[in-house]
Amino acid sequence: NTLATVSAIASQSLRNATSIEHGQEAIESRLQALGRAHDLLLQARWSSASLAHIVQGATEPYDSQGEGKFTIEGPDSKIASGAVIALAMTLNELCTNTTKFGALSVPTGRINIAWTINEKTKRLRLTWTEKGGPAVHAPTRRSFGTRMIETLGKQLNGEVEMAYAPGGFDYALDVPMASLKPPD
């Protein structure tokens, strides 16, 4: 499964690259995110990882010198190994895109990542909200990263929403806890 993931990352990153350097950067970023997710799982003996640690691990490389560009809030929960990879890769794509086109492409930009767990419906809702960045416009074509974010959400039996509001990009993942929880 990991080899298939790496193969897809390489082929799709190169297919959509505008230059060899761009393709190399995309592959390196995605493989580093995969590596960080695997590190989390190794620490937990491949059973589960903390959602807070997944988010912090994914955003830390993009918060240069601890400037506090990210606000992270939500109840901690253990996440099953397969879901760890999907969430880490999604967050890496969001971080990469925001440094190129969104809030982190300018010094004043900030990101709020929050999640809640609805005990009644047994669903987790994770949101990514960008503020203080340049005006945002919907892309003219769907990139590999965008398709990957949507696919990873569906892989978790979740629903993905993306909004290109002028004030900043918004992403939301609504997913059943059963898709995230490690077996008892």
Side-chain angles (χ1 to χ4, degrees):
N1 198 12
T2 300
L3 185 55
T5 301
V6 170
S7 177
I9 286 170
S11 67
Q12 291 296 317
S13 296
L14 291 173
R15 179 179 295 154
N16 297 315
T18 54
S19 68
I20 294 294
E21 292 79 17
H22 179 261
Q24 182 179 355
E25 287 173 17
I27 291 170
E28 285 177 5
S29 173
R30 290 171 177 143
L31 292 180
Q32 287 172 352
L34 186 60
R36 285 190 299 272
H38 281 166
D39 286 347
L40 279 173
L41 291 170
L42 282 172
Q43 293 169 11
R45 295 189 175 97
W46 283 89
S47 61
S48 64
S50 154
L51 180 54
H53 286 129
I54 296 165
V55 174
Q56 290 165 349
T59 58
E60 186 176 41
Y62 297 90
D63 197 9
S64 57
Q65 297 148 0
E67 292 178 350
K69 293 191 173 278
F70 292 90
T71 303
I72 300 169
E73 53 192 333
D76 205 13
S77 183
K78 291 290 184 191
I79 304 298
S81 59
V84 169
I85 303 293
L87 290 170
M89 295 301 291
T90 296
L91 289 165
N92 179 72
E93 286 302 314
L94 292 169
C95 287
T96 300
N97 288 342
T98 193
T99 59
K100 292 179 186 175
F101 313 111
L104 296 187
S105 69
V106 297
T108 56
R110 298 291 180 266
I111 311 290
N112 183 54
I113 303 171
W115 62 92
T116 56
I117 299 172
N118 184 322
E119 293 299 330
K120 192 178 283 188
T121 62
K122 304 286 188 224
R123 294 184 74 85
L124 176 131
R125 181 165 179 85
L126 182 138
T127 59
W128 165 286
T129 308
E130 298 184 21
K131 299 285 182 216
V136 176
H137 306 283
T140 55
R141 66 174 185 84
R142 289 181 53 226
S143 67
F144 168 65
T146 300
R147 289 191 315 270
M148 186 166 75
I149 288 170
E150 291 171 337
T151 300
L152 291 169
K154 290 176 185 171
Q155 180 181 321
L156 297 173
N157 299 313
E159 299 168 15
V160 172
E161 300 167 18
M162 291 184 267
Y164 298 89
F169 175 76
D170 293 324
Y171 163 87
L173 172 66
D174 187 287
V175 62
M177 289 301 294
S179 296
L180 302 174
K181 285 296 203 182
D184 292 329

PDB file of all heavy atoms in Angstrom, residues 37-51 53-54 77-85 180-183:
ATOM      1  N   ALA A  37       4.152  11.111   8.867  1.00  0.00           N
ATOM      2  CA  ALA A  37       3.008  10.296   9.301  1.00  0.00           C
ATOM      3  C   ALA A  37       3.496   8.921   9.750  1.00  0.00           C
ATOM      4  O   ALA A  37       3.051   8.395  10.777  1.00  0.00           O
ATOM      5  CB  ALA A  37       1.988  10.160   8.181  1.00  0.00           C
ATOM      6  N   HIS A  38       4.412   8.336   9.012  1.00  0.00           N
ATOM      7  CA  HIS A  38       4.962   7.030   9.405  1.00  0.00           C
ATOM      8  C   HIS A  38       5.727   7.130  10.724  1.00  0.00           C
ATOM      9  O   HIS A  38       5.650   6.211  11.547  1.00  0.00           O
ATOM     10  CB  HIS A  38       5.854   6.472   8.305  1.00  0.00           C
ATOM     11  CG  HIS A  38       5.082   5.848   7.194  1.00  0.00           C
ATOM     12  ND1 HIS A  38       5.641   5.537   5.989  1.00  0.00           N
ATOM     13  CD2 HIS A  38       3.784   5.484   7.086  1.00  0.00           C
ATOM     14  CE1 HIS A  38       4.738   4.988   5.197  1.00  0.00           C
ATOM     15  NE2 HIS A  38       3.598   4.963   5.849  1.00  0.00           N
ATOM     16  N   ASP A  39       6.439   8.235  10.950  1.00  0.00           N
ATOM     17  CA  ASP A  39       7.137   8.432  12.226  1.00  0.00           C
ATOM     18  C   ASP A  39       6.156   8.434  13.394  1.00  0.00           C
ATOM     19  O   ASP A  39       6.406   7.830  14.434  1.00  0.00           O
ATOM     20  CB  ASP A  39       7.927   9.737  12.225  1.00  0.00           C
ATOM     21  CG  ASP A  39       9.192   9.669  11.386  1.00  0.00           C
ATOM     22  OD1 ASP A  39       9.600   8.540  11.006  1.00  0.00           O
ATOM     23  OD2 ASP A  39       9.768  10.741  11.109  1.00  0.00           O
ATOM     24  N   LEU A  40       5.037   9.131  13.217  1.00  0.00           N
ATOM     25  CA  LEU A  40       4.006   9.140  14.267  1.00  0.00           C
ATOM     26  C   LEU A  40       3.517   7.720  14.554  1.00  0.00           C
ATOM     27  O   LEU A  40       3.329   7.338  15.703  1.00  0.00           O
ATOM     28  CB  LEU A  40       2.810  10.002  13.860  1.00  0.00           C
ATOM     29  CG  LEU A  40       2.918  11.496  14.032  1.00  0.00           C
ATOM     30  CD1 LEU A  40       1.701  12.176  13.413  1.00  0.00           C
ATOM     31  CD2 LEU A  40       3.037  11.865  15.491  1.00  0.00           C
ATOM     32  N   LEU A  41       3.298   6.974  13.492  1.00  0.00           N
ATOM     33  CA  LEU A  41       2.799   5.613  13.658  1.00  0.00           C
ATOM     34  C   LEU A  41       3.844   4.693  14.281  1.00  0.00           C
ATOM     35  O   LEU A  41       3.502   3.808  15.070  1.00  0.00           O
ATOM     36  CB  LEU A  41       2.311   5.062  12.319  1.00  0.00           C
ATOM     37  CG  LEU A  41       1.044   5.725  11.797  1.00  0.00           C
ATOM     38  CD1 LEU A  41       0.766   5.297  10.374  1.00  0.00           C
ATOM     39  CD2 LEU A  41      -0.130   5.404  12.703  1.00  0.00           C
ATOM     40  N   LEU A  42       5.092   4.903  13.952  1.00  0.00           N
ATOM     41  CA  LEU A  42       6.153   4.096  14.567  1.00  0.00           C
ATOM     42  C   LEU A  42       6.203   4.330  16.077  1.00  0.00           C
ATOM     43  O   LEU A  42       6.382   3.397  16.849  1.00  0.00           O
ATOM     44  CB  LEU A  42       7.510   4.416  13.937  1.00  0.00           C
ATOM     45  CG  LEU A  42       7.782   3.786  12.594  1.00  0.00           C
ATOM     46  CD1 LEU A  42       9.082   4.329  11.988  1.00  0.00           C
ATOM     47  CD2 LEU A  42       7.857   2.279  12.710  1.00  0.00           C
ATOM     48  N   GLN A  43       6.031   5.598  16.469  1.00  0.00           N
ATOM     49  CA  GLN A  43       6.031   5.926  17.891  1.00  0.00           C
ATOM     50  C   GLN A  43       4.881   5.231  18.609  1.00  0.00           C
ATOM     51  O   GLN A  43       4.980   4.900  19.788  1.00  0.00           O
ATOM     52  CB  GLN A  43       5.937   7.437  18.092  1.00  0.00           C
ATOM     53  CG  GLN A  43       7.157   8.183  17.625  1.00  0.00           C
ATOM     54  CD  GLN A  43       6.925   9.684  17.586  1.00  0.00           C
ATOM     55  OE1 GLN A  43       5.933  10.202  18.086  1.00  0.00           O
ATOM     56  NE2 GLN A  43       7.866  10.396  16.981  1.00  0.00           N
ATOM     57  N   ALA A  44       3.796   4.999  17.912  1.00  0.00           N
ATOM     58  CA  ALA A  44       2.618   4.361  18.512  1.00  0.00           C
ATOM     59  C   ALA A  44       2.508   2.889  18.108  1.00  0.00           C
ATOM     60  O   ALA A  44       1.450   2.291  18.218  1.00  0.00           O
ATOM     61  CB  ALA A  44       1.359   5.108  18.092  1.00  0.00           C
ATOM     62  N   ARG A  45       3.605   2.317  17.625  1.00  0.00           N
ATOM     63  CA  ARG A  45       3.644   0.915  17.195  1.00  0.00           C
ATOM     64  C   ARG A  45       2.587   0.597  16.137  1.00  0.00           C
ATOM     65  O   ARG A  45       1.953  -0.445  16.166  1.00  0.00           O
ATOM     66  CB  ARG A  45       3.504  -0.009  18.388  1.00  0.00           C
ATOM     67  CG  ARG A  45       4.663   0.087  19.344  1.00  0.00           C
ATOM     68  CD  ARG A  45       4.581  -1.011  20.385  1.00  0.00           C
ATOM     69  NE  ARG A  45       5.756  -0.988  21.217  1.00  0.00           N
ATOM     70  CZ  ARG A  45       5.817  -0.399  22.398  1.00  0.00           C
ATOM     71  NH1 ARG A  45       4.782   0.230  22.896  1.00  0.00           N
ATOM     72  NH2 ARG A  45       6.928  -0.444  23.094  1.00  0.00           N
ATOM     73  N   TRP A  46       2.387   1.525  15.214  1.00  0.00           N
ATOM     74  CA  TRP A  46       1.502   1.373  14.069  1.00  0.00           C
ATOM     75  C   TRP A  46       0.043   1.116  14.429  1.00  0.00           C
ATOM     76  O   TRP A  46      -0.730   0.667  13.612  1.00  0.00           O
ATOM     77  CB  TRP A  46       1.991   0.261  13.122  1.00  0.00           C
ATOM     78  CG  TRP A  46       3.138   0.734  12.316  1.00  0.00           C
ATOM     79  CD1 TRP A  46       4.449   0.646  12.675  1.00  0.00           C
ATOM     80  CD2 TRP A  46       3.108   1.420  11.085  1.00  0.00           C
ATOM     81  NE1 TRP A  46       5.230   1.238  11.722  1.00  0.00           N
ATOM     82  CE2 TRP A  46       4.435   1.704  10.725  1.00  0.00           C
ATOM     83  CE3 TRP A  46       2.090   1.811  10.231  1.00  0.00           C
ATOM     84  CZ2 TRP A  46       4.763   2.370   9.555  1.00  0.00           C
ATOM     85  CZ3 TRP A  46       2.418   2.473   9.068  1.00  0.00           C
ATOM     86  CH2 TRP A  46       3.742   2.747   8.734  1.00  0.00           C
ATOM     87  N   SER A  47      -0.361   1.435  15.650  1.00  0.00           N
ATOM     88  CA  SER A  47      -1.761   1.185  16.008  1.00  0.00           C
ATOM     89  C   SER A  47      -2.625   2.432  15.817  1.00  0.00           C
ATOM     90  O   SER A  47      -3.674   2.371  15.206  1.00  0.00           O
ATOM     91  CB  SER A  47      -1.870   0.680  17.442  1.00  0.00           C
ATOM     92  OG  SER A  47      -1.362   1.646  18.342  1.00  0.00           O
ATOM     93  N   SER A  48      -2.178   3.549  16.344  1.00  0.00           N
ATOM     94  CA  SER A  48      -2.948   4.779  16.246  1.00  0.00           C
ATOM     95  C   SER A  48      -2.038   5.954  16.598  1.00  0.00           C
ATOM     96  O   SER A  48      -0.930   5.768  17.079  1.00  0.00           O
ATOM     97  CB  SER A  48      -4.145   4.742  17.199  1.00  0.00           C
ATOM     98  OG  SER A  48      -3.686   4.682  18.544  1.00  0.00           O
ATOM     99  N   ALA A  49      -2.532   7.150  16.366  1.00  0.00           N
ATOM    100  CA  ALA A  49      -1.799   8.357  16.724  1.00  0.00           C
ATOM    101  C   ALA A  49      -2.800   9.422  17.163  1.00  0.00           C
ATOM    102  O   ALA A  49      -3.977   9.371  16.807  1.00  0.00           O
ATOM    103  CB  ALA A  49      -0.969   8.852  15.550  1.00  0.00           C
ATOM    104  N   SER A  50      -2.307  10.372  17.910  1.00  0.00           N
ATOM    105  CA  SER A  50      -3.123  11.469  18.404  1.00  0.00           C
ATOM    106  C   SER A  50      -3.440  12.447  17.274  1.00  0.00           C
ATOM    107  O   SER A  50      -2.549  12.843  16.512  1.00  0.00           O
ATOM    108  CB  SER A  50      -2.341  12.176  19.519  1.00  0.00           C
ATOM    109  OG  SER A  50      -2.720  13.511  19.658  1.00  0.00           O
ATOM    110  N   LEU A  51      -4.695  12.852  17.161  1.00  0.00           N
ATOM    111  CA  LEU A  51      -5.095  13.814  16.131  1.00  0.00           C
ATOM    112  C   LEU A  51      -4.329  15.124  16.310  1.00  0.00           C
ATOM    113  O   LEU A  51      -3.848  15.702  15.328  1.00  0.00           O
ATOM    114  CB  LEU A  51      -6.604  14.059  16.163  1.00  0.00           C
ATOM    115  CG  LEU A  51      -7.148  15.053  15.139  1.00  0.00           C
ATOM    116  CD1 LEU A  51      -6.742  14.685  13.717  1.00  0.00           C
ATOM    117  CD2 LEU A  51      -8.656  15.156  15.249  1.00  0.00           C
ATOM    118  N   HIS A  53      -1.355  15.536  17.502  1.00  0.00           N
ATOM    119  CA  HIS A  53       0.021  15.324  17.034  1.00  0.00           C
ATOM    120  C   HIS A  53       0.091  15.262  15.505  1.00  0.00           C
ATOM    121  O   HIS A  53       1.066  15.720  14.905  1.00  0.00           O
ATOM    122  CB  HIS A  53       0.615  14.056  17.644  1.00  0.00           C
ATOM    123  CG  HIS A  53       0.967  14.217  19.082  1.00  0.00           C
ATOM    124  ND1 HIS A  53       0.556  13.327  20.029  1.00  0.00           N
ATOM    125  CD2 HIS A  53       1.676  15.178  19.726  1.00  0.00           C
ATOM    126  CE1 HIS A  53       0.992  13.729  21.211  1.00  0.00           C
ATOM    127  NE2 HIS A  53       1.666  14.847  21.055  1.00  0.00           N
ATOM    128  N   ILE A  54      -0.916  14.689  14.894  1.00  0.00           N
ATOM    129  CA  ILE A  54      -0.954  14.636  13.426  1.00  0.00           C
ATOM    130  C   ILE A  54      -0.974  16.058  12.868  1.00  0.00           C
ATOM    131  O   ILE A  54      -0.204  16.399  11.971  1.00  0.00           O
ATOM    132  CB  ILE A  54      -2.191  13.858  12.927  1.00  0.00           C
ATOM    133  CG1 ILE A  54      -2.125  12.403  13.373  1.00  0.00           C
ATOM    134  CG2 ILE A  54      -2.331  13.958  11.406  1.00  0.00           C
ATOM    135  CD1 ILE A  54      -3.449  11.663  13.238  1.00  0.00           C
ATOM    136  N   SER A  77      -8.039  12.946  20.120  1.00  0.00           N
ATOM    137  CA  SER A  77      -8.652  11.664  19.850  1.00  0.00           C
ATOM    138  C   SER A  77      -7.608  10.783  19.195  1.00  0.00           C
ATOM    139  O   SER A  77      -6.761  11.268  18.448  1.00  0.00           O
ATOM    140  CB  SER A  77      -9.851  11.851  18.920  1.00  0.00           C
ATOM    141  OG  SER A  77     -10.505  10.636  18.682  1.00  0.00           O
ATOM    142  N   LYS A  78      -7.641   9.498  19.468  1.00  0.00           N
ATOM    143  CA  LYS A  78      -6.742   8.556  18.813  1.00  0.00           C
ATOM    144  C   LYS A  78      -7.301   8.226  17.439  1.00  0.00           C
ATOM    145  O   LYS A  78      -8.485   7.974  17.278  1.00  0.00           O
ATOM    146  CB  LYS A  78      -6.597   7.272  19.636  1.00  0.00           C
ATOM    147  CG  LYS A  78      -5.854   7.471  20.930  1.00  0.00           C
ATOM    148  CD  LYS A  78      -4.398   7.746  20.646  1.00  0.00           C
ATOM    149  CE  LYS A  78      -3.624   7.849  21.947  1.00  0.00           C
ATOM    150  NZ  LYS A  78      -2.293   8.359  21.747  1.00  0.00           N
ATOM    151  N   ILE A  79      -6.417   8.221  16.442  1.00  0.00           N
ATOM    152  CA  ILE A  79      -6.797   8.000  15.054  1.00  0.00           C
ATOM    153  C   ILE A  79      -6.108   6.732  14.558  1.00  0.00           C
ATOM    154  O   ILE A  79      -4.908   6.550  14.772  1.00  0.00           O
ATOM    155  CB  ILE A  79      -6.384   9.210  14.182  1.00  0.00           C
ATOM    156  CG1 ILE A  79      -6.985  10.509  14.724  1.00  0.00           C
ATOM    157  CG2 ILE A  79      -6.755   8.995  12.729  1.00  0.00           C
ATOM    158  CD1 ILE A  79      -8.481  10.568  14.747  1.00  0.00           C
ATOM    159  N   ALA A  80      -6.847   5.881  13.866  1.00  0.00           N
ATOM    160  CA  ALA A  80      -6.321   4.626  13.336  1.00  0.00           C
ATOM    161  C   ALA A  80      -5.234   4.886  12.296  1.00  0.00           C
ATOM    162  O   ALA A  80      -5.231   5.917  11.623  1.00  0.00           O
ATOM    163  CB  ALA A  80      -7.448   3.798  12.711  1.00  0.00           C
ATOM    164  N   SER A  81      -4.336   3.919  12.130  1.00  0.00           N
ATOM    165  CA  SER A  81      -3.160   4.109  11.282  1.00  0.00           C
ATOM    166  C   SER A  81      -3.505   4.515   9.849  1.00  0.00           C
ATOM    167  O   SER A  81      -2.871   5.406   9.288  1.00  0.00           O
ATOM    168  CB  SER A  81      -2.293   2.862  11.292  1.00  0.00           C
ATOM    169  OG  SER A  81      -3.016   1.746  10.820  1.00  0.00           O
ATOM    170  N   GLY A  82      -4.475   3.886   9.218  1.00  0.00           N
ATOM    171  CA  GLY A  82      -4.830   4.250   7.843  1.00  0.00           C
ATOM    172  C   GLY A  82      -5.328   5.672   7.736  1.00  0.00           C
ATOM    173  O   GLY A  82      -5.028   6.382   6.770  1.00  0.00           O
ATOM    174  N   ALA A  83      -6.052   6.118   8.727  1.00  0.00           N
ATOM    175  CA  ALA A  83      -6.568   7.479   8.726  1.00  0.00           C
ATOM    176  C   ALA A  83      -5.458   8.493   9.009  1.00  0.00           C
ATOM    177  O   ALA A  83      -5.517   9.625   8.522  1.00  0.00           O
ATOM    178  CB  ALA A  83      -7.692   7.616   9.748  1.00  0.00           C
ATOM    179  N   VAL A  84      -4.445   8.086   9.763  1.00  0.00           N
ATOM    180  CA  VAL A  84      -3.315   8.980  10.042  1.00  0.00           C
ATOM    181  C   VAL A  84      -2.656   9.406   8.742  1.00  0.00           C
ATOM    182  O   VAL A  84      -2.397  10.587   8.513  1.00  0.00           O
ATOM    183  CB  VAL A  84      -2.280   8.298  10.974  1.00  0.00           C
ATOM    184  CG1 VAL A  84      -0.989   9.110  11.047  1.00  0.00           C
ATOM    185  CG2 VAL A  84      -2.856   8.098  12.368  1.00  0.00           C
ATOM    186  N   ILE A  85      -2.405   8.441   7.874  1.00  0.00           N
ATOM    187  CA  ILE A  85      -1.760   8.738   6.595  1.00  0.00           C
ATOM    188  C   ILE A  85      -2.630   9.684   5.770  1.00  0.00           C
ATOM    189  O   ILE A  85      -2.145  10.684   5.233  1.00  0.00           O
ATOM    190  CB  ILE A  85      -1.483   7.439   5.795  1.00  0.00           C
ATOM    191  CG1 ILE A  85      -0.632   6.467   6.599  1.00  0.00           C
ATOM    192  CG2 ILE A  85      -0.898   7.752   4.429  1.00  0.00           C
ATOM    193  CD1 ILE A  85       0.769   6.896   6.864  1.00  0.00           C
ATOM    194  N   LEU A 180     -12.203   6.615  11.623  1.00  0.00           N
ATOM    195  CA  LEU A 180     -10.976   7.156  12.220  1.00  0.00           C
ATOM    196  C   LEU A 180     -10.474   6.369  13.407  1.00  0.00           C
ATOM    197  O   LEU A 180      -9.291   6.374  13.707  1.00  0.00           O
ATOM    198  CB  LEU A 180     -11.214   8.598  12.672  1.00  0.00           C
ATOM    199  CG  LEU A 180     -11.671   9.586  11.614  1.00  0.00           C
ATOM    200  CD1 LEU A 180     -11.987  10.924  12.266  1.00  0.00           C
ATOM    201  CD2 LEU A 180     -10.613   9.746  10.543  1.00  0.00           C
ATOM    202  N   LYS A 181     -11.383   5.740  14.113  1.00  0.00           N
ATOM    203  CA  LYS A 181     -11.049   5.100  15.380  1.00  0.00           C
ATOM    204  C   LYS A 181     -10.319   3.774  15.192  1.00  0.00           C
ATOM    205  O   LYS A 181     -10.720   2.976  14.362  1.00  0.00           O
ATOM    206  CB  LYS A 181     -12.314   4.836  16.209  1.00  0.00           C
ATOM    207  CG  LYS A 181     -12.883   6.081  16.844  1.00  0.00           C
ATOM    208  CD  LYS A 181     -11.922   6.623  17.819  1.00  0.00           C
ATOM    209  CE  LYS A 181     -12.569   7.479  18.874  1.00  0.00           C
ATOM    210  NZ  LYS A 181     -11.606   8.025  19.785  1.00  0.00           N
ATOM    211  N   PRO A 182      -9.278   3.557  15.999  1.00  0.00           N
ATOM    212  CA  PRO A 182      -8.641   2.243  15.965  1.00  0.00           C
ATOM    213  C   PRO A 182      -9.587   1.202  16.596  1.00  0.00           C
ATOM    214  O   PRO A 182     -10.426   1.571  17.422  1.00  0.00           O
ATOM    215  CB  PRO A 182      -7.377   2.426  16.803  1.00  0.00           C
ATOM    216  CG  PRO A 182      -7.609   3.646  17.626  1.00  0.00           C
ATOM    217  CD  PRO A 182      -8.634   4.472  16.907  1.00  0.00           C
ATOM    218  N   PRO A 183      -9.455  -0.033  16.201  1.00  0.00           N
ATOM    219  CA  PRO A 183     -10.321  -1.057  16.805  1.00  0.00           C
ATOM    220  C   PRO A 183     -10.046  -1.165  18.303  1.00  0.00           C
ATOM    221  O   PRO A 183      -8.921  -0.975  18.740  1.00  0.00           O
ATOM    222  CB  PRO A 183      -9.930  -2.358  16.092  1.00  0.00           C
ATOM    223  CG  PRO A 183      -8.807  -2.033  15.181  1.00  0.00           C
ATOM    224  CD  PRO A 183      -8.543  -0.562  15.230  1.00  0.00           C
TER     225      PRO A 183
END
